[in-house]
Structure formats: structure tokens, C-alpha cells
């Protein structure tokens, strides 16, 4: 995936590439733009070393790195519950899920790196509080039932968002998403199962499940991003075939799925305004608190400070491992070099 | 609080190729960072084969891979064009003849 670092061998010596005059550069840009437009029109894919408009590169880099950060920070609310999971089976499942989130973060960092940004820089931006990640992970996971609600609703919303991204016009992003989506459905199902077991348990357990659903419903819906009329970048992202459906379209589709699934759980969604619009044939939800969304995104949510502090702490605690591994690799390389020169 | 980036401690990129089952070739799965080949293999196992996706893994330093020039799209791959006769479908007179 990291083809940015691959060396390319010119097909034939081309003087243009070595001594570029402004006219040549302009001509190459025009050719590149024409090719890019053709790829977009054909709904084909752009690969890392193709010419691309600077704004396309910037948009993708922002989106993919934010997506990667979300996966990495997203490990925290659930990792907190591994030691308190109610059975060995549930601990094993939760560990596998958290490990998957780490993997998803790494797939995405790899995809972002092909755009020319080193991973270390992205991670540093996250730790310095310069980079954004999904607002959802700044809410606390208060009870075991939250593990169910996160799996069912948060991962459910993530899947609804990510499935269309498998067809994103940037090849490495689409391929990373295919891998992520394959693994994500286990996450949603295990969450649904936690809620189902609780909702069919004692009255207290059922109440705990309902409370968790109540807490996560609105934040999960806001994961799709601001309403269409307040989402300035959406139009361009759709023109570039990065985004395939608008925020509201995806959100409404998701609400429709929740409405059916919540019946199986014998729970309710905390939204008295949900209705099926007979004219548009779409589900509609009640108003959401977008001021809260923007506050959380700006770093003033319930857990922002805690999540970032934990990320920095984990990075620092791992420093000796990174240093030791690098030192060992260096030593092996030196030994190998001595062997070669002695032979 | 800010953690300083650790210069000189950046692990190189490796490209990962996975053989999904015996009898198939290794296929590019993705990339990762690792300090050496042994760690790259372990990381590749954890990252790309958590669900029995492979029976064998190759890791290759990304910088060791040479690639064709993306700017030379046309000229480099041009030669097969107009050479339909390299494909079996070019020969139509044998249509309907069995086992041919």
C-alpha cells in the first residue's frame, strides 16, 4: 500500500521530468487533470502515484487519518471493560474486537501514508491534539450494557458509513475499507447479542440495556456528520467519488434498520419523533443536538481530555519497546555486515 | 503535555504478501512498519491473518521494490495494442469445431 516509497524506473529517459520549466510543469498539470477527470467520469480508481489535485490529496489525507485516529481512540471505551467482562468468553470476544480496532487503525494509517504523510507525524498530530477523530469516542462507557450498545449502534453506524467507502475513488482507501468491513460485522453482532441477553434477563438487566440504548442513540446518529445543509465539504467529496451518499441519506437509512432491529431486542429507541415518511419513503428521526456535536468535536466532550491523555501515556509506555526493537535490529544488521565483510 | 517525535527511531515500511491457501500464489495484502524482517513477519501475522487468511507470508522492504513509472502510462504498456492475434478469440474460423 505504501507505494509512495516505491522507486519507479522511468519507462524511457524523459528530459521533461528532470529539468522542469514552468511551462512543462503547467502542461503536466493539465495532462494530469485531464487524466484525473477521465478517471472520475469513468468511476475508476486513482492510485497513490497518479497525478491528483492538491485539494483531493488534502481532503483524503484529512479523512483517512481522522478515520485511523478514530479506530485507535475507539479502542479505549471497550478496553476499559475487558477486565470487567462478565465471562471468559466475553473477555476473549472483547479482546478480539479491540485488537481488530488496532488493526483497522493500522490499515488506515497505511492508506494515508501513500499520500505522502509519515505515520509518525499523524500519530504526533493526534497526541498533540491537532487532529480530529470521531466525536462518539468522547462519551463514557458506563455499564456492561454499553458494550452491547456500542457494538450494535456505534459499529452499526460505522458499517453503514463504511460500506459505501469500499467504492471510494482512492484505491488504497477503498481496499482498506473492504478489509475493515469484512471484520466489522462480527463487532455489530456481538453487541446485539449482549443487548439481547440483557433484555431477556432480569428486569434490572433489561433496564440497564434500555439505559445504554438511550445514551448511545443520539451520539450514534451524529456519527454520520452534520445535516446536509450544514456540511460544506460533502458536495466536493461526492463529486470526487469519495463519498457516495449524503450524511442525511445514510443516517435515515440507519434509523430504518435500527427501528426493525430494536423490536427483536424488545427495547425502544429514545426518539418519539421517528416516522416513516410515506412521500419520500424514508425514515426520519427527531431533532439532534448539533451544538453538543460541535462542542464534543472541538474537544469539550465528556472524555476528550481523558482519551488523549491515555493515548499519550500508552505511547510513552511503549517507548522502551520501540527503542529496544530498533536497537536489536541495528545490532543484527551490524553483525550481518561484519559476517559479510569477513567472508 | 507534548511528546517529542523520536527521530532516528522510525521503523521502515514493509510490503506484505499472503498466500491464502496451498496451491495459490502470494498476493499483496498491505503494508506495515517494523524494525526488521522477523518483527515484520510477526506483525504481518497479527495484522493480516487474524482469521486464518493465510498459510504463508512474505515481507519485502518497500524500498527494495522497483515499479513501473506511472507517468509513462501509455508508452510502457503500448506494445500489446493492435496485437489481437495474441489472443485465442482472434481466431474465429475454428468456432464450433470441438476441442479446439
Amino acid at each position: 500500500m505504501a507505494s509512495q516509497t516505491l522507486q519507479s524506473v522511468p519507462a524511457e529517459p524523459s528530459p521533461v521530468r528532470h529539468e522542469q520549466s514552468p511551462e512543462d510543469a503547467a502542461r503536466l498539470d493539465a495532462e494530469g487533470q485531464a487524466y484525473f477527470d477521465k478517471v472520475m467520469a469513468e468511476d475508476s480508481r486513482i492510485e497513490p502515484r497518479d497525478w491528483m489535485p492538491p485539494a483531493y490529496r488534502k481532503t483524503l489525507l484529512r479523512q483517512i487519518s481522522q478515520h485511523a485516529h478514530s479506530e485507535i481512540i475507539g479502542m479505549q471505551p471497550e478496553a476499559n471493560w475487558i477486565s470487567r467482562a462478565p465471562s471468559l468468553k466475553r473477555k476473549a470476544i472483547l479482546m478480539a474486537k479491540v485488537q481488530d480496532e488496532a488493526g483497522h487503525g493500522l490499515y488506515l494509517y497505511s492508506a494515508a501514508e501513500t499520500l505522502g504523510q509519515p505515520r509518525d507525524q499523524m500519530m504526533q498530530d493526534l497526541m498533540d491534539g491537532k487532529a480530529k477523530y470521531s466525536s462518539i469516542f468522547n462519551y463514557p462507557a458506563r455499564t456492561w450494557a454499553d458494550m452491547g450498545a456500542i457494538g450494535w449502534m456505534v459499529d452499526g453506524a460505522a458499517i453503514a458509513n463504511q460500506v459505501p467507502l469500499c467504492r471510494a475513488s482512492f484505491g488504497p482507501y477503498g481496499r482498506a475499507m473492504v478489509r475493515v468491513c469484512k471484520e466489522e460485522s462480527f463487532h455489530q453482532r456481538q453487541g446485539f447479542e449482549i443487548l439481547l441477553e440483557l433484555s431477556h434477563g432480569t428486569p434490572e438487566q433489561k433496564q440497564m440495556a434500555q439505559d445504554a440504548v438511550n445514551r448511545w442513540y443520539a451520539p450514534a446518529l451524529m456519527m454520520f456528520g452534520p445535516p446536509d445543509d450544514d456540511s460544506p465539504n460533502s458536495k466536493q467529496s461526492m463529486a470526487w467519488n469519495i463519498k457516495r451518499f449524503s450524511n442525511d441519506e445514510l443516517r435515515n437509512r440507519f434509523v430504518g434498520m435500527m427501528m426493525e432491529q430494536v423490536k427483536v431486542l424488545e427495547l425502544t429507541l429514545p426518539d418519539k419523533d421517528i416516522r416513516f415518511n410515506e412521500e419520500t419513503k424514508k425514515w426520519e428521526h427527531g431533532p439532534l443536538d448539533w451544538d453538543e456535536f460541535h462542542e464534543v468535536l472541538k474537544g469539550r466532550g465528556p472524555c476528550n481530555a481523558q482519551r488523549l491523555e491515555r493515548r499519550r501515556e500508552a505511547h510513552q509506555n511503549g517507548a522502551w519497546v520501540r527503542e529496544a526493537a530498533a536497537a536489536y535490529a541495528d545490532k543484527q544488521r551490524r553483525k550481518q555486515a561484519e559476517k559479510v565483510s569477513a567472508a | 503535555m507534548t511528546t517529542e517525535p523520536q527521530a532516528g527511531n522510525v521503523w521502515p515500511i514493509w510490503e506484505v504478501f499472503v498466500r491464502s491457501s496451498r496451491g495459490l500464489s502470494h498476493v499483496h495484502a498491505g503494508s506495515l512498519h517494523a524494525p526488521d524482517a522477523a518483527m515484520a513477519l510477526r506483525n504481518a501475522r497479527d495484522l493480516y491473518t487474524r482469521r486464518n487468511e493465510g498459510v504463508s507470508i512474505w515481507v519485502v522492504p518497500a524500498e527494495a521494490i522497483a515499479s513501473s513509472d506511472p507517468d509513462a502510462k501509455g508508452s510502457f504498456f503500448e506494445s500489446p495494442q493492435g496485437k489481437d492475434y495474441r489472443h485465442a478469440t482472434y481466431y474465429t474460423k475454428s468456432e464450433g469445431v470441438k476441442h479446439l
Side-chain angles (χ1 to χ4, degrees), chain A residues 2 8 30 35 47 101 125 134 201 229 235 245 277 286 292 311:
Chain A
S8 63
Y35 185 76
E47 292 297 339
E101 312 295 3
D125 287 347
S134 177
D229 50 20
K235 212 173 165 189
F245 302 98
N277 186 328
E292 175 185 307
R311 178 82 276 279

Side-chain angles (χ1 to χ4, degrees), chain B residues 11-48:
Chain B
W11 294 349
I13 295 177
W14 300 71
E15 298 296 332
V16 179
F17 299 81
V18 175
R19 184 200 294 285
S20 57
S21 71
R22 301 189 72 81
L24 297 178
S25 46
H26 288 75
V27 173
H28 186 237
S31 59
L32 49 75
H33 289 262
D36 57 28
M39 285 288 286
L41 279 170
R42 278 169 178 265
N43 289 354
R45 177 199 60 191
D46 292 347
L47 193 53
Y48 292 106

Side-chain angles (χ1 to χ4, degrees), chain B residues 86-97:
Chain B
R86 288 174 188 253
H87 297 276
T89 47
Y90 176 78
Y91 304 91
T92 52
K93 288 188 179 161
S94 47
E95 255 170 36
V97 179

Side-chain angles (χ1 to χ4, degrees), chain B residues 53-66:
Chain B
E53 288 98 335
V55 295
S56 165
I57 299 174
W58 289 346
V59 291
V60 182
E63 59 176 24
I65 297 178

Side-chain angles (χ1 to χ4, degrees), chain A residues 1-2 5-9 11 17 35 49 100 103 107 110 113 119 124 128 179 183 186 312 316 326 329, chain B residues 1-3 6 9 13 15 28-29 31 33 35 47-48 50-51 62-63 65-67 69-73 76:
Chain A
M1 277 196 229
T5 60
L6 304 190
Q7 300 169 358
S8 63
V9 180
R17 289 170 56 93
Y35 185 76
R49 292 158 74 252
D100 275 354
Y107 304 153
S110 286
E113 277 191 306
R119 186 178 74 182
Q124 194 60 45
D128 291 347
R179 211 169 266 282
E183 299 180 349
F186 131 61
R312 292 186 195 113
Q316 279 173 349
Chain B
M1 188 191 65
T2 303
T3 39
Q6 288 149 321
N9 202 10
I13 295 177
E15 298 296 332
H28 186 237
S31 59
H33 289 262
L47 193 53
Y48 292 106
R50 287 197 298 283
R51 290 176 176 78
E63 59 176 24
I65 297 178
S67 105
D69 183 352
D71 292 339
K73 285 173 195 77
F76 193 64

